Structures are given as structure tokens and as C-alpha cells.
Amino acid sequence: MKATFETELYSAIFYIFFGFLLMSIVIIVFFYKSRKKIVKKELEKKDLEISHQKQLLHSILITQEEERKRIAQDLHDDISSKLNIVSLNSHLLKTKNISENEIEEITGNIIQLTKKALDSSRQIAHNLMPPVLEKFGLNEALEELTEEFGRLKSVQVFYNNKINFSDFSSEIQLNIFRVIQELLNNSIRHGKATEIKINFEKKGTTNICQYSDNGIGFDMNNQFNQKGLGMKNIESRLIFINGKFEINSAPNEGFHFLINF
């Protein structure tokens, strides 16, 4: 009887030990598979982030190339062509038996064309780096920008600012300026807006920009609308200044853009 009790005790210990061992194996396998799934998801997330970064970099490079082409075209069409005519007129002054009236007319043409070439060069320089931004800061540059768009007559632009932009670096100010510039272009060119509101304010430690227009809007479900070249350029600039943004729009309900930076 004693031998039977010991046998049963050993059997019970064996089954308990085997049960714990089996349970341990199940737990280890479960955690291994769970960890494997987590690692897989993390890798997929990283791949998506890398892919997204590549897309942003690609859009930046395309934007830079388009900007170079535009500048080259402006230099060729506006400045080079005018200077060529100035050069031709200058050679005419060497013509024999030229009358005083002709000299006066040619000189007037040269002065007029030179002035236009200077105006064009100033405009190109302004587009590259607005002088107001460099000399007086972002607030004054945005005031000038919104006034320029307001002079189009087809749109009213309301700009309000409660942030001291002088605390920001020149790089941050330039990127914010380009973002607002791109948004204004999109509102007028694509949104057909007649009214645009831009409001900067500070909430706690967060700087906020609320941008909205009354344009035709777009379908948020269409990824192409949110990931066009212009929006990618905006996103890349906001990433550079550690900014975040939210978009809200619908057909015939305007466009709303919130920036936290």
C-alpha cells in the first residue's frame, strides 16, 4: 500500500512537472510568435517611413529642379532678351551719319530696356529670398505677401498674427513663409477661392497657424489630392521645422489647414 502511495505521488509530481513544462513551452512559443509579429510590424512601419521619406526627398528634388528651370527661363526670357536688344541698340549708336533724333530715340530705348531688366532681376531675387523677410522678419514678409495676393482683386486675404516670430531662426521663418506662399498659390490656382484667412497664435508652448479658404475644396478620400507635389513640398518643409499639420476639406466646402510647430 505504501508502494502504491509513493507510485501515485511520483506520478502526480511527474504530471505536474510535465504540465508546467508544457505550459512553459506554450508561453515561450506564444511570446516568440508575438515578438516576431511585433518585430515584423515594426519593420513594415520602418519600411513605410523610409518609403515616405524617399517620396518627400524626391518631391523636394523635383521642386528644386522646377525652380531652377523657372529661374533659367526668367533669366533667358526677361533679362537676356532685353540685354540682347540693349546690345543691338548700342551698336546702332556706332552707325555712320546717324541723326541726333535717332540717337535720342535709341538712347531712350536703351534706358527703358535696362530699367525693365533691372526690375526683372529684382523680381527674381525677390522670389528666391524676399528682402522684407531677410531685413524685417516673417511677420512683415507675410503682411507684404498677403497684400500682394490681395491686389489680385479676385481674392480677399485676411492675415492676423499674435506670435513673436523674432524668436525663431531664419531657417524656420523661411520655411513657414514658403508654406504659406504655397498654400496661397494652391487656394487661388486650384481652389478658386475668393476669401482666405490666415491666423497665427500661441496656445501654451505650441505655435498654431490656422489657414482656411472658401474654395471648391476636394475629396479627402482621394490620396492624389493630399499627396500632390505642392502638398509634399509643404510636408517636407514642416518636417524640417518639426511641425505637424491636419487637413480638412470636402467638395464645395473649402480647404482648412492646421499647423502646429
Side-chain angles (χ1 to χ4, degrees):
M1 185 174 179
K2 185 178 179 181
T4 304
F5 175 76
E6 288 179 352
T7 303
E8 289 178 353
L9 180 63
Y10 289 143
S11 296
I13 292 171
F14 172 77
Y15 284 122
I16 291 170
F17 174 76
F18 181 76
F20 274 114
L21 181 63
L22 185 63
M23 188 180 296
S24 298
I25 293 170
V26 170
I27 291 171
I28 291 169
V29 171
F30 172 77
F31 275 108
Y32 172 76
K33 288 187 176 180
S34 297
R35 181 61 184 168
K36 193 175 180 180
K37 286 181 180 179
I38 292 170
V39 171
K40 186 180 178 181
K41 286 182 179 179
E42 287 295 324
L43 289 173
E44 289 175 352
K45 185 180 178 182
K46 288 293 181 184
D47 287 340
L48 285 173
E49 288 177 357
I50 292 170
S51 176
H52 185 59
Q53 292 296 328
K54 285 181 178 178
Q55 288 179 357
L56 288 177
L57 179 61
H58 180 65
S59 69
I60 292 169
L61 292 174
I62 291 175
T63 303
Q64 287 177 342
E65 286 302 316
E66 287 187 348
E67 186 67 10
R68 289 191 184 102
K69 288 178 182 177
R70 186 189 64 78
I71 293 168
Q73 188 174 353
D74 287 345
L75 288 170
H76 179 270
D77 295 346
D78 289 344
I79 297 179
S80 295
S81 60
K82 290 180 177 67
L83 291 177
N84 282 331
I85 299 173
V86 168
S87 178
L88 290 172
N89 277 272
S90 299
H91 282 91
L92 287 175
L93 291 173
K94 296 180 181 180
T95 306
K96 293 181 180 180
N97 302 321
I98 188 171
S99 66
E100 289 186 6
N101 289 336
E102 288 174 328
I103 291 173
E104 187 177 346
E105 184 181 351
I106 292 170
T107 304
N109 288 336
I110 291 172
I111 293 170
Q112 187 179 10
L113 287 165
T114 303
K115 183 179 180 301
K116 287 182 178 179
L118 286 170
D119 290 340
S120 296
S121 65
R122 288 194 192 97
Q123 186 60 46
I124 292 170
H126 182 276
N127 291 333
L128 289 172
M129 173 58 77
V132 175
L133 178 62
E134 193 172 15
K135 291 180 180 179
F136 303 107
L138 181 59
N139 184 59
E140 286 75 7
L142 288 175
E143 284 182 347
E144 182 186 63
L145 180 67
T146 52
E147 285 174 5
E148 285 177 359
F149 276 89
R151 284 196 288 269
L152 294 173
K153 304 298 182 184
S154 60
V155 62
Q156 284 184 300
V157 184
F158 300 94
Y159 168 69
N160 181 48
N161 174 46
K162 296 178 181 178
I163 296 176
N164 182 11
F165 290 126
S166 61
D167 296 335
F168 298 104
S169 67
S170 57
E171 288 83 4
I172 291 176
Q173 293 189 45
L174 177 60
N175 278 286
I176 294 173
F177 178 85
R178 293 303 186 201
V179 166
I180 300 300
Q181 190 178 42
E182 186 73 42
L183 289 171
L184 286 166
N185 283 324
N186 288 344
S187 290
I188 295 170
R189 192 182 309 157
H190 304 297
K192 313 299 180 186
T194 58
E195 185 176 288
I196 299 170
K197 294 179 180 178
I198 306 166
N199 183 53
F200 282 89
E201 60 181 329
K202 196 176 185 72
K203 291 186 177 180
T205 58
T206 305
N207 299 293
I208 294 174
C209 172
Q210 292 177 313
Y211 179 99
S212 63
D213 68 40
N214 66 344
I216 60 175
F218 59 82
D219 183 7
M220 290 282 291
N221 295 321
N222 188 338
Q223 292 297 314
F224 176 78
N225 291 326
Q226 296 187 53
K227 296 298 179 182
L229 185 62
M231 288 308 301
K232 283 184 178 179
N233 188 31
I234 288 171
E235 185 177 357
S236 64
R237 290 186 179 278
L238 290 175
I239 287 174
F240 181 79
I241 63 172
N242 296 319
K244 297 179 181 179
F245 67 92
E246 295 176 14
I247 301 173
N248 186 18
S249 184
N252 302 315
E253 291 187 14
F255 171 79
H256 305 274
F257 195 80
L258 177 66
I259 305 171
N260 295 316
F261 63 99

